[in-house]
Amino acid sequence: MPQYSIKDHLYESQLFINRSIAAAIIVTLMLLLLGVRMVYLQVVSHEHYTTLSKDNRVKLQPLPPTRGLIYDRNGVILAQNLPAYSLEITPEKVESLEQTIEQLALILPISEEDRRRFKKLRRQRRPLRQYPDPSTPER
């Protein structure tokens, strides 16, 4: 004769409710932990990550000289390497190109001839290209 077991519906429903409450508590704690981490990254560490993102945008690239010093037979330097700097600008990435050039003119000497040459270069080149700044000598 087979043996039948009687189910305890009250015990099973209580077990289900306890497991549901435990799962809800775990999910709530995880969401709370995620929210705290988001606040930490976006509010507390904002300065740090802003600096890191700016470092990704601006990079200094040193270019080694193509040749060494040239001396005459008496040891007098005939040709030497001097550092040269070139400031480039992408017009599509600035709000006002004229205002940017005016602000640069406060720092660098920019003549009217330099400005005319810059505008000529700008008309001749394709969009999203960098142009030398107006104070860079033409080669």
Side-chain angles (χ1 to χ4, degrees):
M1 184 161 181
Q3 201 174 26
Y4 296 102
S5 65
I6 301 177
K7 292 186 175 184
D8 186 3
H9 293 290
L10 184 62
Y11 172 74
E12 287 181 5
S13 65
Q14 189 65 36
L15 184 64
F16 177 76
I17 291 171
N18 289 343
R19 288 179 180 173
S20 298
I21 290 172
I25 290 172
I26 290 173
V27 168
T28 304
L29 287 175
M30 291 298 172
L31 286 173
L32 185 64
L33 182 67
L34 184 62
V36 168
R37 181 68 176 163
M38 287 173 54
V39 168
Y40 173 76
L41 290 174
Q42 294 181 4
V43 177
V44 177
S45 299
H46 172 74
E47 272 309 305
H48 173 70
Y49 289 108
T50 301
T51 304
L52 286 179
S53 70
K54 287 181 182 176
D55 287 344
N56 283 339
R57 183 177 57 90
V58 177
K59 292 190 177 161
L60 296 178
Q61 297 179 340
L63 298 174
T66 56
R67 59 183 173 83
L69 300 176
I70 300 174
Y71 298 93
D72 69 357
R73 64 182 176 171
N74 298 322
V76 177
I77 294 180
L78 297 176
Q80 62 181 341
N81 296 319
L82 297 174
Y85 301 98
S86 175
L87 178 64
E88 296 180 347
I89 188 168
T90 306
E92 288 80 11
K93 292 186 178 183
V94 295
E95 291 179 19
S96 169
L97 186 60
E98 291 300 323
Q99 184 180 4
T100 303
I101 292 174
E102 290 301 323
Q103 290 175 350
L104 284 173
L106 299 174
I107 302 169
L108 304 169
I110 300 176
S111 68
E112 284 303 316
E113 177 58 35
D114 291 334
R115 290 175 192 249
R116 281 194 295 275
R117 187 174 52 81
F118 179 75
K119 287 179 183 178
K120 180 181 171 188
L121 283 172
R122 185 171 176 216
R123 284 192 303 268
Q124 293 174 349
R125 296 206 182 162
R126 296 188 305 249
L128 291 175
R129 292 287 306 259
Q130 294 178 339
Y131 305 104
D133 85 42
S135 66
T136 305
E138 194 170 314
R139 295 180 184 185

